[in-house]
Amino acid sequence: MKIDLTVNGEQKSWLISPGDTLLAVLRREGFFGVKFGGCEKGECGACAVLLDGRPVNSCGMLAAQADGHRLETIEALGQHPDQGWKKTEGLHPLQQAFVETGAIQCGYCTPAMILAAKSLLDETPDPSEAQVRDVLSGVLCRCTGYEKPVQAVLRAAAQMRGEMVAPIQATPEPAPESWQPSGDRVGDEGGESVAPGGTVQTRVMPKIWTVPQSPVRSRV
């Protein structure tokens, strides 16, 4: 059978079998940003795409059900000018915010999270933290604990509203002066330092022991 639909703004006509899932057809057609191999039961959300602007789990939907509808995958968003399947001006604000805040770790659930967030921001440009957490809750993540993805979505939302956002610190801020021992340190493996007033502060620096490799036994 044939289905006609719009994928990332382009008209598509695909020949499918009645039992094909939307996930299987999308990956067969080259949309590899749609993840597979998760639960394949509609529970983890890693395979989510946008159907008429709303997130759906493509593993639990027949491709035939997408006939006449509008689909968006992660490939619809921006990419680096010198990478990807199309030339764009750069990353989408959501993608950039995920990078800047460190919300990407293993990255497996990231496309679905970004699409879910996009569906929220398209309807609610100034979402609350509770709304962001709610929309991301449909995508399971074992790496981030959701804190940084939530920060990323709120940051992107502010940028898309034209607000100025503070730059992300590339390196941690130095500890307060009161936390840093004064005086000269004696040795690299610990020792004593003399603080103002003659107080002696002793620090213990742990050693790192490495286990020697066992000799390789040859087999006859």
Side-chain angles (χ1 to χ4, degrees):
M1 62 180 294
K2 187 182 79 167
I3 60 173
D4 298 303
L5 67 166
T6 303
V7 182
N8 298 339
E10 298 181 359
Q11 293 294 323
K12 301 288 185 181
S13 294
W14 291 337
L15 292 176
I16 65 168
S17 297
D20 286 344
T21 65
L22 181 58
L23 170 61
V25 172
L26 284 171
R27 290 189 60 86
R28 186 186 71 197
E29 296 295 330
F31 296 95
F32 299 119
V34 185
K35 301 306 178 187
F36 79 108
C39 68
E40 298 188 19
K41 298 178 181 178
E43 296 177 355
C44 73
C47 66
V49 297
L50 299 185
L51 178 73
D52 297 332
R54 299 294 180 89
V56 297
N57 292 326
S58 60
C59 72
M61 178 178 175
L62 293 175
Q65 293 175 291
D67 187 31
H69 290 275
R70 174 174 54 89
L71 286 180
E72 291 177 81
T73 70
I74 193 65
E75 287 88 352
L77 276 68
Q79 298 191 25
H80 285 294
D82 57 346
Q83 297 176 347
W85 66 281
K86 65 177 182 179
K87 302 300 181 183
T88 66
E89 296 180 357
L91 297 178
H92 186 278
L94 274 167
Q95 294 170 309
Q96 188 63 41
F98 266 67
V99 173
E100 291 174 350
T101 59
I104 299 175
Q105 293 193 23
C106 83
Y108 193 81
C109 65
T110 303
M113 276 197 173
I114 290 177
L115 289 174
K118 181 180 183 296
S119 71
L120 172 65
L121 299 187
D122 285 346
E123 294 186 355
T124 310
D126 190 7
S128 65
E129 181 177 330
Q131 289 174 308
V132 174
R133 289 185 179 276
D134 181 65
V135 78
L136 295 183
S137 66
V139 183
L140 298 185
C141 177
R142 299 180 65 182
C143 300
T144 65
Y146 294 95
E147 192 65 29
K148 289 184 177 180
V150 170
Q151 294 173 0
V153 175
L154 293 173
R155 179 180 180 84
Q159 289 178 318
M160 293 169 69
R161 294 193 303 269
E163 299 177 13
M164 296 293 294
V165 295
I168 299 293
Q169 291 286 343
T171 56
E173 294 184 0
E177 190 67 27
S178 59
W179 291 5
Q180 299 177 0
S182 57
D184 295 327
R185 197 174 86 181
V186 179
D188 292 331
E189 299 177 0
E192 297 177 344
S193 62
V194 181
T199 304
V200 177
Q201 299 175 337
T202 303
R203 298 187 304 280
V204 178
M205 305 296 290
K207 292 183 178 180
I208 300 176
W209 295 89
T210 58
V211 179
Q213 294 183 353
S214 302
V216 178
R217 297 181 180 179
S218 60
R219 295 183 178 180
V220 179

